[in-house]
Amino acid sequence: MSESKKSPSAKEQGRGRGLDESQPLATFALRSATSGHRLHPEEPHPYRTAFQRDRGRIVHSTAFRRLQYKTQVFVHLEADHYRNRLTHTLEGAQITRIIARQLGLNQDLAESVALAHDLGHTPFGHAGERVLAEAMLDHGGFDHNRQGLRVVDLLERRHPDYLGLNLCDETREGMLKHGSNWAHPVPIPDVSGQRSGEAQVADASDEIAYLNHDLDDALRAGILTLEMLIELPILGDLAQQAQGHHGEIPEEVRRTRMISEMIDILVTDLIAATRDRIVAEELDSPEAIRARTGKVVGFSPRVERARREIKSFLFERFYNHPKVALRTQEAEKVVKSLFDQFLAAPDHLPEGVRARFDETGRERAIADYVAGMTDRFAISEQTRLFGAEGLGNSL
Ligand code: MG
């Protein structure tokens, strides 16, 4: 800290990069050369950093490809252009890169965390997660963040000598959230303090991505209208501007302009407010970011208020809309009946899942299997087990 008082470098770093493409890392960025610890030691790659290798492993994983058939909000894809978990992940990773680059954080690490952040998601989004959390209550617990760690540490098979992808601790740490503390069979990075700046950027970008693309999807689906947004701070002004373009431009372009400007406002504010904190507190190392009382990455108070209002608006008017809620209930029934059916009649399970019973317990092996399913595989398994009248047919 004392050094940065004499040197202008912390302030320089705090000002952001503008159009600078040279990409030097700030002193508070994590560096793969001095981090990058893995559960199973590996020789360094001749030209790829440890975090770049993690990104490659995540993108090439089976769990990553399955994200394309997992739901973001719509349980049933009514059309091919609504978001799914894969496109959500890519939009979040895109925003992550922009923010990490401007702040001088390690883009490769931040992007790896963003690409991995939803690997533990169940079929049908949070509906599936709620069912498995309930089913696993007396068997160790369940949530999608910790399940993501199970995916990258235990469930992917890519190497003859060990399970999982053998990712760096910094990437694994980025996938963990506070309050997710059920047993994990291999050592877990310490997340008692704040997580790295890179992990915080991936988190914030995830939220910027879903708030905006869910609004976009809800407007596209006609569940929300521009008129409904007028009362909201910031977004209301943008909606009003968009409405001002009477008839000259197609509805879709109006909506897209509004969403695009909203993302830009949130991203720009997040970069500026985070930078201000870094400069004011002279945060000059990754340790200084971890030692803070709260997250360093965050919006200004004004935009933070707007974010909260937009989020509660989405919960009220979209996520809990009868049309969405009905599908959510149906989806919960599908996941519940699959779990119960597999538990009662394990013969229906693939041999590989039954082979894990002794090691993990029956419930955990089934939870891992069901959590890994895509929406459409869950529905087809439902039909296979329960016949043509299966619950999945109503989705
Ligand atoms: Mg997400």
Side-chain angles (χ1 to χ4, degrees), residues 59-73:
V59 168
H60 291 290
S61 70
T62 308
F64 187 77
R65 287 192 297 281
R66 284 186 187 156
L67 294 175
Q68 70 183 308
Y69 297 113
K70 294 199 179 198
T71 302
Q72 182 62 24
V73 175

Side-chain angles (χ1 to χ4, degrees), residues 46 62 80 113 126 140 147 157 170 208 224 243 291 347 382 385:
T62 308
D80 291 340
V113 173
H126 292 286
Q147 186 66 17
R157 286 306 309 262
E170 292 75 12
I208 294 174
L224 298 179
Q243 272 184 322
D347 285 352
Q382 169 80 22
L385 295 171

Side-chain angles (χ1 to χ4, degrees), residues 73-74 82-83 211-226 228-229 255 259 313-314 317-319 321 324:
V73 175
F74 287 93
Y82 291 109
R83 271 71 171 191
L211 287 177
N212 283 284
H213 66 51
D214 286 355
L215 267 172
D216 190 40
D217 279 351
L219 288 164
R220 188 189 279 268
I223 293 177
L224 298 179
T225 61
L226 286 179
M228 292 179 186
L229 308 181
R255 190 182 67 240
I259 296 294
F313 173 85
L314 273 173
R317 310 294 283 268
F318 183 36
Y319 306 140
H321 185 280
V324 176

Side-chain angles (χ1 to χ4, degrees), residues 25 32 52 95 112 141 151 162 173-174 184 188 214 321 343 376:
L25 289 181
S32 59
Q52 286 169 356
I95 293 169
S112 293
V151 169
Y162 52 76
E173 173 214 31
H184 190 67
I188 289 177
D214 286 355
H321 185 280
L343 198 59
R376 67 176 192 173

